[in-house]
Amino acid sequence: MAKHRFFGIDPARSSPETVAVIGLGRFGQSLALELMNDGAEVLGIDAREDVVQSLNGQLTHVVTADATSEQVLRQLSVPELDRVVIAIGSDIQASILVTSLLLRFRIPQIWAKAVSEPHGLILEQLGIHHVVYPEKDMGRRVAHMVLGSMQDFIEIDTDFAMVKTEVNPAYAGVRLGDSGIRRKHEVTVSAVKHRSGSWQAATEDTVLQAGDTILVTGPTRQAERFARSTS
Ligand code: ATP
């Protein structure tokens, strides 16, 4: 169910998913622009005129409005959308007011940015489906890279991660199926990039080489430990 009846969006046209992004600070802006890049239609809402002006023409629609007003959200047809992101952070009161309105509208998928654990807890208790902690998550990700044990780290869920790291020389020349990595480390090598090649899905027959970069998935602790063992 994707209805697109607000402003100039043509409901008859076969259109991609429409997403509303409420709050166009650094996080909201970068998210909204990436959604546009990915072919979504984006309704951006922010209380600040200058912010809205700066995004004019870059989003499908961008509107100056106070999103804590039910009337405003109804006028913008927000209750008809399937996906909304609340990207208001530091104004926790506004974040909670918008949250309660969207939950009342029964929007099927709501993402909300939290700036702290208590903020996130409140959003979860209210019933938000996806709470994201951009600062905390990015901090953890960069910490792993700074320590040099990983080239990249993405926590896919609270207890499952994907890690990009270099192959431990001890595994050079070893067929993945014979490496015992899964049994010993409880992680799976999902993809491999040889020094002069491109990324390829890993199979049991993939032979690791010194200098290869690998993508490893598994429970966060095990994935972290495995990456440390390669450095
Ligand atoms: P970021 O780190 O993404 O820059 P922030 O947490 O520092 O965000 P916030 O103060 O949370 O910044 O605001 C993000 C954006 O949300 C701002 O551009 C702000 O104008 C907008 N905003 C805040 N309250 C409302 C509201 N009630 N209605 C619409 N927009 C709002």
Side-chain angles (χ1 to χ4, degrees), residues 23-27 46-48 65-68 87-91 94 113:
L24 298 167
R26 289 158 301 178
F27 173 72
D46 199 286
R48 282 177 49 183
D66 178 0
T68 60
I88 300 172
S90 38
D91 187 345
K113 164 182 151 164

Side-chain angles (χ1 to χ4, degrees), residues 71-225:
Q71 196 189 354
V72 162
L73 294 184
R74 287 197 185 279
Q75 274 166 2
L76 294 170
S77 302
V78 170
E80 296 178 23
L81 298 179
D82 288 341
R83 290 160 202 258
V84 179
V85 183
I86 306 166
I88 300 172
S90 38
D91 187 345
I92 292 181
Q93 183 172 324
S95 157
I96 290 171
L97 284 171
V98 175
T99 297
S100 91
L101 285 172
L102 296 183
L103 288 168
R104 191 138 31 99
F105 296 157
R106 298 189 188 282
I107 307 277
Q109 297 287 337
I110 307 172
W111 280 261
K113 164 182 151 164
V115 289
S116 64
E117 292 285 348
H119 183 198
L121 200 64
I122 293 169
L123 295 175
E124 275 169 33
Q125 283 171 347
L126 286 172
I128 287 291
H129 320 107
H130 313 278
V131 178
V132 290
Y133 300 82
E135 277 90 3
K136 188 178 126 199
D137 292 349
M138 186 51 87
R140 285 191 68 195
R141 189 169 169 198
V142 173
H144 284 113
M145 294 187 255
V146 169
L147 286 175
S149 53
M150 304 173 192
Q151 294 170 11
D152 211 340
F153 168 88
I154 299 170
E155 196 157 37
I156 291 151
D157 211 331
T158 49
D159 53 1
F160 201 83
M162 179 182 278
V163 166
K164 180 179 163 194
T165 187
E166 200 169 303
V167 164
N168 184 325
Y171 291 116
V174 177
R175 189 179 154 272
L176 258 182
D178 302 327
S179 68
I181 289 177
R182 197 179 269 164
R183 183 172 39 78
K184 259 189 279 173
H185 297 277
E186 298 170 58
V187 297
T188 300
V189 177
S190 309
V192 180
K193 184 170 181 270
H194 298 308
R195 236 176 241 221
S196 54
S198 50
W199 283 102
Q200 281 170 356
T203 70
E204 296 224 313
D205 292 323
T206 301
V207 177
L208 299 174
Q209 295 165 15
D212 281 356
T213 308
I214 49 176
L215 272 190
V216 177
T217 53
T220 306
R221 289 285 154 233
Q222 280 84 332
E224 286 172 332
R225 208 172 298 141

